[in-house]
Amino acid sequence: MILEALGSALVGLLLAWAATQRLGHRLPAPALVFATGVAGALFGDFVTHSALGPGTALLSLLGAAVVSAASLSLLLRPAGRRLRRRSIPV
């Protein structure tokens, strides 16, 4: 169980690192990205392990990766600059 939790935390760190490398300009502070990746992975591991039971370490790691990726996707900001519209014409 401890190794499964450590493995899922490592999966979350790897996904967060990949997200900061690939999409760093669209993400908030790296500390928040890494914390979200690890927390999402641990939560995904917990939910998958609770649903499937013991003995399914690979499926638990897969569940950790899915929930971590979904959590990280919620941090993304829009790519382009948005033009502010004014309600009063200037």
Side-chain angles (χ1 to χ4, degrees):
M1 181 84 176
I2 291 290
L3 290 176
E4 189 176 323
L6 289 175
S8 65
L10 183 64
V11 165
L13 280 174
L14 289 174
L15 284 173
W17 176 79
T20 55
Q21 294 298 312
R22 179 103 170 124
L23 302 167
H25 61 284
R26 293 180 57 192
L27 290 169
L32 179 64
V33 175
F34 283 107
T36 302
V38 171
L42 288 173
F43 183 68
D45 180 40
F46 171 72
V47 169
T48 309
H49 184 81
S50 297
L52 299 178
T56 57
L58 291 178
L59 289 176
S60 291
L61 288 177
L62 179 65
V66 168
V67 174
S68 179
S71 299
L72 288 170
S73 73
L74 295 175
L75 295 177
L76 286 174
R77 293 182 284 201
R81 284 184 16 180
R82 280 198 240 177
L83 297 175
R84 294 176 66 189
R85 291 186 186 180
R86 295 181 183 225
S87 60
I88 303 172
V90 176

